[in-house]
Amino acid sequence: MRVLMFNGEPYCDSDRQDELVRRTLETIRKSGATLEASELSVDRGAAMFLVSGDSVAIRGLWSHVEATGLENAWEAFGARLDWSTFEMTS
């Protein structure tokens, strides 16, 4: 599984962020990857999307993120992207 995380300022523009979250969910759906979980932090400073899929689906997701300008849209919003492998810790 992979984690797509956007971290930015807390208490940001919630309408604009909601649109970015909607676009991200749509991009995940279109890519062929599976959304396992998503979470928006209480202070709205972080949005996390946990996705799974085979390597083709994961590469497809990243291609969709780049092709749609989604990463740039999040950055223009003031959030930075972290894309990493999900690891459980005890």
Side-chain angles (χ1 to χ4, degrees):
M1 281 190 274
R2 303 282 291 182
V3 176
L4 186 59
M5 176 81 77
F6 297 95
N7 291 300
E9 294 295 320
Y11 303 108
C12 49
D13 180 346
S14 61
D15 291 336
R16 188 170 167 202
Q17 187 181 48
D18 289 345
E19 176 61 19
L20 287 168
V21 167
R22 186 199 63 74
R23 283 183 58 196
T24 303
L25 293 172
E26 181 68 13
T27 299
I28 292 167
R29 187 188 65 75
K30 286 181 178 178
S31 73
T34 301
L35 178 68
E36 298 293 340
S38 64
E39 185 70 34
L40 188 60
S41 66
V42 173
D43 69 359
R44 297 184 73 93
M48 183 272 306
F49 305 90
L50 181 61
V51 296
S52 66
D54 61 18
S55 59
V56 172
I58 297 299
R59 282 194 307 273
L61 173 56
W62 190 247
S63 294
H64 277 78
V65 166
E66 290 179 331
T68 61
L70 188 57
E71 181 178 10
N72 293 336
W74 275 102
E75 287 174 353
F77 181 64
R80 67 186 177 282
L81 169 68
D82 178 32
W83 175 249
S84 59
T85 301
F86 177 73
E87 296 178 17
M88 295 283 290
T89 59
S90 53

